[in-house]
């Protein structure tokens, strides 16, 4: 299963591309988080979490939701983090979260996307 959280569409796009290759089901965390829906999630042994990077970590709302939600069949977890430049030391925190969730940490991948945090940076050009 591929879980994603997105604010601008980058993570949704990445999750869809991963699914095209793996055939895994894609589930948005956005509506579940907004609704406070922390009910158990039926999945297979693999979880892939696709999220934007917020202050060199996964978004706090995603962290809280993952800590409150049960994934009884899951055994392994991967993280894919999109960013405008880098994810810093996010892997360290993802590894700790994996331990808290009792899942085998399989790694964190960084995907650099066009910078779209317009509170600090200009709007990207068409190129």
């Amino acid at each position: 299963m591929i879980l994603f959280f997105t604010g601008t569409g980058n993570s949704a796009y990445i999750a869809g591309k991963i699914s095209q290759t793996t055939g895994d089901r894609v589930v948005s965390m956005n509506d579940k988080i907004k609704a406070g829906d922390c009910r158990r999630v039926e999945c297979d042994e693999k979880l892939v979490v696709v999220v934007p990077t917020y202050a060199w970590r996964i978004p706090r709302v995603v962290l809280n939701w993952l800590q409150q939600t049960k994934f009884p069949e899951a055994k392994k977890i991967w993280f894919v983090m999109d960013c405008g430049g880098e994810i810093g030391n996010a892997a360290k925190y993802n590894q700790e979260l994996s331990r808290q969730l009792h899942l085998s940490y399989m790694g964190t991948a960084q995907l650099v996307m066009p910078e779209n945090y317009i509170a600090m940076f200009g709007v990207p050009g068409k190129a």
Side-chain angles (χ1 to χ4, degrees):
M1 170 183 283
I2 302 166
L3 296 167
F4 76 89
F5 176 82
T6 194
T8 63
N10 283 345
S11 297
Y13 175 80
I14 294 165
K17 286 296 190 181
I18 294 170
S19 177
Q20 286 176 0
T21 301
T22 65
D24 290 326
R25 180 170 59 118
V26 177
V27 175
S28 171
M29 289 182 275
N30 291 60
D31 292 335
K32 292 180 176 293
I33 290 170
K34 286 179 191 173
D37 180 0
C38 296
R39 290 176 291 176
R40 69 186 264 146
V41 175
E42 301 298 328
C43 61
D44 60 14
E45 293 185 356
K46 301 175 293 182
L47 282 179
V48 177
V49 176
V50 183
V51 293
T53 303
Y54 288 7
W56 297 293
R57 295 174 87 170
I58 67 173
R60 179 89 46 199
V61 294
V62 172
L63 173 68
N64 293 338
W65 185 80
L66 288 170
Q67 289 172 326
Q68 295 173 31
T69 304
K70 301 293 183 215
F71 305 92
E73 295 84 13
K75 305 253 186 283
K76 300 176 181 180
I77 190 167
W78 288 258
F79 296 86
V80 178
M81 299 180 68
D82 54 273
C83 60
E86 65 173 306
I87 63 171
N89 198 17
K92 170 185 156 186
Y93 298 102
N94 294 343
Q95 195 167 18
E96 174 57 32
L97 174 59
S98 300
R99 277 194 290 276
Q100 291 174 15
L101 300 176
H102 306 289
L103 298 173
S104 294
Y105 173 74
M106 304 306 293
T108 298
Q110 169 182 291
L111 287 177
V112 178
M113 301 290 282
E115 182 61 71
N116 60 11
Y117 183 61
I118 60 173
M120 284 184 62
F121 304 99
V123 176
K126 288 184 179 184

